[in-house]
Amino acid sequence: MTNYQTYFEQNRDKHLGELKEWLSIPSISALSAHKEDVLRAAEWLKDALVRAGLENVTLHETAGHPILTADHLHAEGAPTLLIYGHYDVQPVDPLNLWDTPPFEPSERDGKLYARGATDDKGQVFLHVKALEAILAQEGKLPVNVKLCIEGEEEVSSPNLVEFLDANAAALAANAVLISDTSLLERGKPAISTGLRGLCSLEIALNTANTDLHSGSFGGGVPNALHAIVSLLNSLHDEKTGQVLVEGFYDDVLPLTEELRGELVKMQYDEEKLRTDLGLEALFGEEGYSFLERTGVRPTLELNGVYGGFQGEGTKTVIPKEAHAKITCRLVANQDPQDILNKIERHLHAHTPVGAKLTLVPGEKAFAFNIDPTHPFLQKAADAYEAVYGTRALFTKDGGSIPIIEAFSRVLEAPVVLMGFGLPDENLHAPNEHFNLENFDKGLLTLVHYLKSL
């Protein structure tokens, strides 16, 4: 790897300059005002892939933002990798909390600050430059490579699954390689072998046909806020932390000793977390550690509860309606629609007298899981060790990236999650940044991984 280290050192300023150009484009997929900027970011990447030596570089129109594909298929007898990432970014609000403008990339303290620096332009850029380096140094790639880079990940990839279904043969690969996750902490790489699924819903409770004066009607009519507090309280056992929806855990597989042992290896400091968050105590399902609760057990959480008077001062009113937003993180074998059905039955059965329930379902996504003993994952762990000096741990992440499950299912291929971010890099928040130590090591790790295959 010595020649590659020299190559990347000699080209570092040039590479960072190119990345800053890309990060300067405000490709915010959620805001229609930035539709042209999203297209500009896609075209920038298209040009970068052509310069890198990739072939068949194509922008595909969708009902939303374009999907970019490319390939280099000249390694006869070698496996084929499909590299996935996204070039869209999150909105930047609140702007006043940024120390430097989000689309004017700046370096300080060994970090590159900009929206998209770690999520996901910076990590996608590593793949582009790793491929470019191998082609520049050796004239050929050790594996066959396909790329599929989208511009709608930050708005739940509404057009990508349809694109995958329609182009499954063209995108077929032995494995899917994605860099959109993080190390455990500085110097401690990790490969996620599981992401939780998701389902969400919004509920409303209505009582009278108008708000009422609490002096004239209080104590004599149903109160929508009282009703929703009672209803939401029925969802959990306050002592054990378990979800009380009938059948919620029916399809949940018990934790194996092997998995529990792998999580113990992470040496997670629950007491430090408690102190950092200013909490008197952590909370969750009885009998499980923090990592187990947040990575491999299902949850039901309230994300918003609102209704009645919320302005300054006092308003003596009995509100006629109240609302709540709920999300569930799901694990292997749980069907999002089945869980929504069970929650709906529970809510109807526990709606207080005098209140009418309205329920609107939202997002649905299955969990993703992969066996860490798969050779593609083992070689990824070896590649981290070769560069970082520490072999990657196999983890379970509590978040949800629905498109990863879709890639695994549609292409029937293992998904290798090789991330180079850090948990504290403020993705989705002001002052997002990418540690340049992992920029440098990430390039070498990806080269090592591709050559090891």
Side-chain angles (χ1 to χ4, degrees):
M1 296 296 289
T2 304
N3 58 333
Y4 282 99
Q5 185 158 347
T6 301
Y7 173 90
F8 287 127
E9 287 173 354
Q10 291 174 344
N11 287 277
R12 191 174 193 264
D13 290 343
K14 176 175 174 285
H15 290 166
L16 285 176
E18 292 176 7
L19 177 55
K20 289 174 184 177
E21 280 183 22
W22 198 25
L23 292 170
S24 298
I25 303 173
S27 51
I28 305 171
S29 56
L31 302 179
S32 58
H34 288 280
K35 184 175 178 64
E36 292 303 314
D37 294 318
V38 179
L39 177 59
R40 271 202 304 137
E43 291 173 336
W44 189 97
L45 179 58
K46 178 181 177 182
D47 292 341
L49 290 172
V50 171
R51 291 195 304 271
L54 276 295
E55 301 171 347
N56 301 310
V57 184
T58 307
L59 277 183
H60 305 265
E61 291 187 5
T62 73
H65 301 299
I67 295 169
L68 188 149
T69 61
D71 60 45
H72 198 281
L73 306 173
H74 302 290
E76 187 176 350
T80 299
L81 287 184
L82 175 66
I83 297 170
Y84 163 79
H86 64 94
Y87 61 86
D88 63 321
V89 300
Q90 281 277 323
V92 298
D93 306 274
L95 190 58
N96 64 298
L97 295 183
W98 286 80
D99 294 334
T100 50
F103 297 109
E104 296 180 17
S106 61
E107 289 181 55
R108 55 186 186 273
D109 302 323
K111 302 170 185 177
L112 177 59
Y113 285 80
R115 173 59 89 224
T118 189
D119 182 23
D120 182 39
K121 285 180 178 176
Q123 299 203 54
V124 169
F125 188 78
L126 295 179
H127 289 274
V128 178
K129 291 303 158 184
L131 294 171
E132 182 181 79
I134 298 174
L135 287 170
Q137 296 271 89
E138 303 182 37
K140 61 181 180 179
L141 296 178
V143 293
N144 298 295
V145 170
K146 300 176 182 179
L147 290 93
C148 179
I149 315 295
E150 68 159 324
E152 296 183 321
E153 194 274 344
E154 300 293 6
V155 289
S156 300
S157 306
N159 293 291
L160 186 55
V161 174
E162 181 180 344
F163 183 83
L164 286 179
D165 287 333
N167 296 275
L171 296 172
N174 298 102
V176 181
L177 177 60
I178 300 175
S179 296
D180 196 10
T181 51
S182 300
L183 282 69
L184 286 175
E185 58 185 64
R186 183 181 178 186
K188 292 182 67 173
I191 297 172
S192 176
T193 62
L195 295 162
R196 290 190 292 187
L198 177 73
C199 66
S200 66
L201 64 152
E202 296 186 28
I203 65 171
L205 285 187
N206 292 80
T207 49
N209 57 11
T210 183
D211 287 354
L212 297 167
H213 188 288
S214 67
S216 302
F217 293 90
V221 297
N223 181 313
L225 284 177
H226 293 182
I228 204 164
V229 168
S230 174
L231 179 61
L232 298 177
N233 194 48
S234 73
L235 291 167
H236 291 90
D237 184 312
E238 64 181 42
K239 292 183 179 179
T240 67
Q242 282 196 317
V243 176
L244 294 178
V245 173
E246 185 176 354
F248 186 81
Y249 297 101
D250 281 356
D251 297 317
V252 177
L253 300 175
L255 270 63
T256 65
E257 289 305 314
E258 290 80 7
L259 175 56
R260 292 193 120 160
E262 197 69 22
L263 294 175
V264 168
K265 288 180 187 176
M266 294 170 63
Q267 299 178 327
Y268 194 83
D269 191 339
E270 294 191 10
E271 180 59 22
K272 182 179 184 300
L273 174 70
R274 184 194 68 76
T275 303
D276 289 347
L277 296 179
L279 293 170
E280 291 186 7
L282 299 179
F283 175 78
E285 191 181 359
E286 194 172 73
Y288 297 94
S289 69
F290 176 82
L291 290 181
E292 291 167 348
R293 292 168 180 168
T294 59
V296 292
R297 293 293 293 173
T299 65
L300 187 157
E301 295 287 349
L302 307 181
N303 307 122
V305 181
Y306 52 100
F309 178 65
Q310 298 175 54
E312 183 178 357
T314 301
K315 183 180 181 184
T316 54
V317 65
I318 297 174
K320 67 168 187 172
E321 62 183 73
H323 304 263
K325 296 177 184 286
I326 298 171
T327 55
C328 296
R329 300 290 178 169
L330 308 177
V331 296
N333 289 12
Q334 285 186 300
D335 183 324
Q337 186 58 56
D338 175 61
I339 295 298
L340 284 173
N341 294 342
K342 290 171 177 175
I343 294 172
E344 182 173 5
R345 286 195 293 270
H346 176 98
L347 293 172
H348 278 294
H350 290 80
T351 298
V353 174
K356 297 180 288 292
L357 174 69
T358 304
L359 186 148
V360 179
E363 298 173 277
K364 290 183 290 184
F366 284 88
F368 161 75
N369 283 280
I370 187 170
D371 184 349
T373 65
H374 194 288
F376 278 102
L377 275 74
Q378 289 296 316
K379 284 186 177 292
D382 293 339
Y384 277 116
E385 184 173 21
V387 176
Y388 283 83
T390 301
R391 199 166 192 272
L393 288 175
F394 295 103
T395 65
K396 297 286 187 180
D397 289 346
S400 306
I401 309 178
I403 199 61
I404 291 179
E405 185 276 334
F407 271 112
S408 175
R409 172 173 41 82
V410 174
L411 301 183
E412 298 181 344
V415 178
V416 184
L417 293 168
M418 292 184 73
F420 297 98
L422 285 175
D424 62 355
E425 288 181 334
N426 287 20
L427 64 166
H428 294 205
N431 297 316
E432 179 182 348
H433 57 276
F434 192 19
N435 281 262
L436 294 179
E437 175 187 19
N438 291 321
F439 177 86
D440 298 329
K441 290 184 175 180
L443 289 165
L444 292 170
T445 303
L446 289 174
V447 169
H448 192 284
Y449 182 56
L450 293 170
K451 290 176 69 66
S452 75
L453 297 176

